[in-house]
Amino acid sequence: MNELYPEISKYMSEQREEMVSLLETIVNIESGPEQPEGVDEILDIFKTAFDDLGLDSRIIECEHAGNIIVSQYTPEDVENEAPIVLSGHMDTVFQEGALKEHAFRKVDQQWAKGAGIADMKGGLVIALYTLKALIHLDYKKHPIKMLFIGDEETLHRYSNTREVMLEELAGAAMMLNFEPADAFGHLGVSRKGGGMVSLEVEGIGAHSGMGATIGRSAIIELSHKIIELEEKTDIERGKLINCGLIEGGVSANTIPAYAKANLSIRFPDQATKEEILDDFEAVVSKTTIPDTTAHYKVEGLLDAMEFTSKVEQLADHFIKVGTDCGYDDLVKYKSEGASDASLGVVADVPTLCSMGIVGDGAHTMDEIADLDSLVSRAILATAGVFTF
């Protein structure tokens, strides 16, 4: 490693300005929840880069979301057919027009701001240049599979991205997901799972005076269900059910025939996820106001990234390699946020997350990233893969 590090460092340092330029380009393409065309424009930029490197690429089209690109570099005389997967998402949380105030702009020579610069367009750049460095080093141990998707921020609710990713991850040797890191030394070893659930209740509408004996309030029934569900929250265990939005009724003097709630859920592991879904089943199957009916729908879900023995072993490998490279502050970091790294663990693949750019303020107009970390994090990823 002592001989390899200078070569990786020299190569990556020479790419810094090119990396920053690419980052500026893709940050200045809006790719929010309602802009799949922006996602696809970014996809085309990376496909051109992959084509130039001789990768075999497939575009998986998603009717109601940005598309997915799967590209693979297979060295001649590859030693092991199990691929190493470098993954990331091309979408952001920002609405159309955000670039008017939140385009790419340098704060100084080290820091820059922009929509999605940390979460996670900087990570996409690092993944690409990790691939380029491995090709430059004549890497032959494993194929390298690039897996960039278009709808992580909407929890894949309008696509089959989850199923596609699990299929592409099957049998992989390793997955690195390039979400941002809060600090250079953070290696993501676990993440909470999360999802969105809609809960609808149908009652019997009636005049609040003349129809008081006829009407059955959907709002009251929904309220009972919300309270019962939220009482099942257990913060100490990392279990959360939160109602963030409700709607229903047509006027103050009408018994409402319909009401709806949108809830978010968070969980630290798959067992707690199943427990929460069982909670919804139990609450929905029980009626407090007679003659009302209810149903729920999971509208988006990211599994939990659990801290498994395979994750720990991979983290230990990267910490050792990082120390050899002079990075002495690497630690195993457990995040409260959700990410697609969870699917690596679900697929029983050694996985690390937060391998992307160092940044802060994700999902806000103050989102900022450390441009120097484009180089340092790409060095770490390259060295970790090369010596795996």
Side-chain angles (χ1 to χ4, degrees):
M1 188 66 232
N2 290 335
E3 296 178 0
L4 183 62
Y5 171 72
E7 186 174 358
I8 299 174
S9 180
K10 179 177 183 297
Y11 173 82
M12 210 63 74
S13 296
E14 291 172 348
Q15 313 306 313
R16 185 186 187 278
E17 294 310 311
E18 194 175 283
M19 296 170 81
V20 172
S21 177
L22 174 59
L23 180 57
E24 179 176 2
T25 296
I26 61 176
V27 167
N28 286 338
I29 298 172
E30 292 193 334
S31 55
E34 306 298 328
Q35 298 165 296
E37 68 283 353
V39 171
D40 294 342
E41 186 177 347
I42 294 170
L43 183 154
D44 288 341
I45 290 171
F46 282 102
K47 182 178 185 302
T48 298
F50 297 152
D51 290 346
D52 290 344
L53 294 169
L55 275 65
D56 294 321
S57 294
R58 291 177 285 119
I59 307 299
I60 300 172
E61 295 187 356
C62 300
E63 184 178 357
H64 301 295
N67 293 330
I68 301 166
I69 183 167
V70 183
S71 299
Q72 183 159 310
Y73 168 72
T74 304
E76 291 185 14
D77 305 320
V78 67
E79 297 172 16
N80 189 317
E81 294 292 339
I84 288 175
V85 178
L86 308 183
S87 70
H89 65 84
M90 299 172 284
D91 60 321
T92 74
V93 299
F94 295 95
Q95 298 299 318
E96 184 176 356
L99 290 183
K100 292 177 182 177
E101 297 181 7
H102 201 25
F104 181 94
R105 60 209 185 275
K106 287 186 178 180
V107 176
D108 53 36
Q109 286 304 304
Q110 181 177 354
W111 296 90
K113 291 186 174 183
I117 191 170
D119 187 14
M120 60 169 289
K121 293 180 178 181
L124 299 176
V125 174
I126 292 171
L128 170 61
Y129 279 83
T130 298
L131 168 69
K132 285 189 171 188
L134 291 167
I135 295 173
H136 172 76
L137 295 167
D138 197 26
Y139 176 79
K140 292 185 177 296
K141 290 183 183 178
H142 295 267
I144 306 295
K145 180 183 288 188
M146 311 299 290
L147 179 56
F148 289 1
I149 61 99
D151 64 342
E152 190 264 2
E153 296 292 6
T154 52
L155 307 181
H156 316 315
R157 69 179 69 179
Y158 306 119
S159 76
N160 66 335
T161 299
R162 182 181 188 276
E163 290 73 20
V164 170
M165 291 191 70
L166 287 174
E167 183 176 344
E168 296 297 335
L169 285 163
M174 178 205 301
M175 175 189 184
L176 299 181
N177 194 45
F178 288 83
E179 290 279 0
D182 295 335
F184 175 80
H186 287 176
L187 298 175
V189 296
S190 76
R191 282 182 172 271
K192 292 286 180 65
M196 301 293 180
V197 184
S198 65
L199 174 59
E200 295 181 285
V201 175
E202 294 180 1
I204 298 174
H207 190 284
S208 62
M210 294 178 290
T213 59
I214 301 171
R216 300 290 184 268
S217 174
I219 287 179
I220 297 299
E221 180 66 19
L222 179 65
S223 299
H224 281 290
K225 295 186 185 305
I226 291 170
I227 291 169
E228 187 172 353
L229 284 166
E230 291 225 14
E231 285 179 342
K232 297 180 183 298
T233 287
D234 188 339
I235 298 296
E236 290 186 2
R237 291 175 49 219
K239 176 184 177 183
L240 175 68
I241 303 175
N242 175 73
C243 178
L245 184 68
I246 58 174
E247 61 180 275
V250 293
S251 68
N253 65 344
T254 303
I255 296 173
Y258 173 81
K260 178 181 179 180
N262 291 98
L263 303 98
S264 65
I265 60 175
R266 292 279 177 173
F267 44 89
D269 49 49
Q270 302 306 90
T272 308
K273 179 188 79 172
E274 294 302 324
E275 181 182 322
I276 289 173
L277 295 180
D278 288 344
D279 290 339
F280 274 88
E281 287 286 347
V283 169
V284 165
S285 65
K286 183 171 59 177
T287 301
T288 302
I289 304 298
D291 303 320
T292 61
T293 58
H295 65 275
Y296 76 96
K297 180 180 180 181
V298 178
E299 296 186 333
L301 187 69
L302 285 181
D303 293 283
M305 179 189 179
E306 298 187 45
F307 183 41
T308 66
S309 60
K310 288 185 177 181
V311 171
E312 184 170 27
Q313 289 167 11
L314 185 60
D316 287 340
H317 166 74
F318 270 79
I319 289 171
K320 181 182 183 304
V321 169
T323 301
D324 291 343
C325 293
Y327 302 143
D328 296 325
D329 56 349
L330 298 179
V331 295
K332 300 165 187 173
Y333 178 71
K334 297 183 178 182
S335 172
E336 293 296 311
S339 90
D340 282 324
S342 63
L343 295 176
V345 175
V346 171
D348 197 30
V349 173
T351 301
L352 287 180
C353 196
S354 303
M355 293 299 295
I357 200 167
V358 176
D360 194 14
H363 295 195
T364 76
M365 299 298 280
D366 292 318
E367 187 171 4
I368 191 169
D370 179 353
L371 299 178
D372 288 347
S373 69
L374 289 169
V375 171
S376 55
R377 299 286 286 183
I379 292 171
L380 177 62
T382 303
V385 170
F386 196 90
T387 56
F388 179 70

